[in-house]
Amino acid sequence: MGEKNRDHRIGQFLQEGDTIVCAGEDMVFRITGDPIGCGGSSVVYPAVLSSDRRLYAIKECFPNDPRFCRKNGIVVPADPADAQALGILGRYRSNLTREAAIGQIVSNTATRAVSIQQTLKPLALGHDGQRYAALEGAMFTVLERMDQKAVSFDALLAGLVSGYDPEKLRRTRGMPGIHATAWILEEILIALKQVHDARDPEHPGMTGYYYGDLHNGNVYFTEI
């Protein structure tokens, strides 16, 4: 695998059974499996909360860059003296906070946006059999978990293709037909329009938000 395509975080992900401890006895999130998503700046884990039975997704700021690693439970620059890496990590964390705030505003009116429920700055983190309490800078966000109640874009495409007979498969060269393609585009565009039309109640003159991370891994279909 080329250096560009390598995920430098492998071996450093949070693991099943790891815990994120927040203020309050009932605010303990437990990681329940392997990551369900890995982006360029973050990792998303499946999780449950000690106080209820809902399934959550926990997003951790962890850039896919060899300049960052996990030490004492949290993500930090591999070289503590690397001021540039520290600045980059700070910007990523700031972006995660802003993403959470905007996501909450969008979810007030959008019916097709994943809900970002809160930002976590944990008091302690249990990882790899150790408990860490000095967590300066550690940051996570809590998202609505979609993989259990919706079909991912990739799974939808695979299902469409597997249902084609050989002749139809030959005609489409393994791609969805024109009607399926039009339906997929319509559904995605409706979701994007809801994001673009969202309004912040505190800034009524603002003209919505631009969504700049559209790819297969960020698209789910709840009714197919």
Side-chain angles (χ1 to χ4, degrees):
M1 181 181 292
E3 186 68 16
K4 276 190 174 181
N5 298 321
R6 178 185 172 195
D7 195 323
H8 300 276
R9 300 163 294 194
I10 291 176
Q12 302 184 75
F13 295 131
L14 294 179
Q15 305 163 8
E16 183 175 355
D18 287 352
T19 55
I20 301 169
V21 183
C22 305
E25 293 182 1
D26 294 333
M27 282 292 290
V28 179
F29 288 91
R30 178 172 57 83
I31 305 301
T32 58
D34 294 333
I36 54 179
C38 296
S41 62
S42 58
V43 180
V44 179
Y45 305 93
V48 293
L49 179 61
S50 57
S51 58
D52 64 43
R53 300 295 298 274
R54 286 173 291 179
L55 300 177
Y56 294 92
I58 301 291
K59 189 172 187 178
E60 179 183 32
C61 180
F62 194 165
N64 181 19
D65 187 314
R67 290 176 294 179
F68 305 100
C69 67
R70 190 181 301 280
K71 289 182 181 178
N72 297 325
I74 65 171
V75 177
V76 295
D79 178 1
D82 189 340
Q84 183 183 42
L86 186 61
I88 291 171
L89 187 60
R91 287 195 295 274
Y92 276 128
R93 286 172 173 165
S94 178
N95 288 342
L96 190 65
T97 301
R98 177 167 169 76
E99 177 190 83
I102 293 174
Q104 290 169 357
I105 292 168
V106 169
S107 67
N108 287 331
T109 55
T111 59
R112 301 192 179 200
V114 175
S115 172
I116 302 178
Q117 300 176 3
Q118 59 181 305
T119 300
L120 303 179
K121 294 185 178 179
L123 302 177
L125 190 146
H127 171 63
D128 201 21
Q130 301 293 320
R131 183 180 174 90
Y132 302 97
L135 301 180
E136 183 178 353
M139 184 180 297
F140 303 84
T141 53
V142 182
L143 291 78
E144 178 184 12
R145 186 170 170 186
M146 297 300 298
D147 62 309
Q148 295 293 301
K149 62 180 181 181
V151 177
S152 71
F153 196 176
D154 287 331
L156 174 67
L157 293 177
L160 288 172
V161 171
S162 67
Y164 289 169
D165 58 53
E167 177 61 22
K168 189 174 183 181
L169 195 62
R170 182 189 67 77
R171 291 199 308 270
T172 64
R173 292 179 289 179
M175 295 181 287
I178 187 170
H179 296 295
T181 300
W183 172 75
I184 289 169
L185 287 173
E186 180 183 29
E187 295 299 306
I188 292 175
L189 289 173
I190 290 172
L192 284 175
K193 187 176 187 305
Q194 289 189 353
V195 174
H196 295 170
D197 289 347
R199 294 294 185 272
D200 184 347
E202 296 184 5
H203 301 87
M206 196 170 162
T207 56
Y209 299 93
Y210 172 74
Y211 185 71
D213 195 24
L214 183 62
H215 60 79
N216 289 16
N218 283 342
V219 177
Y220 287 87
F221 294 83
T222 57
E223 296 180 8
I224 57 174

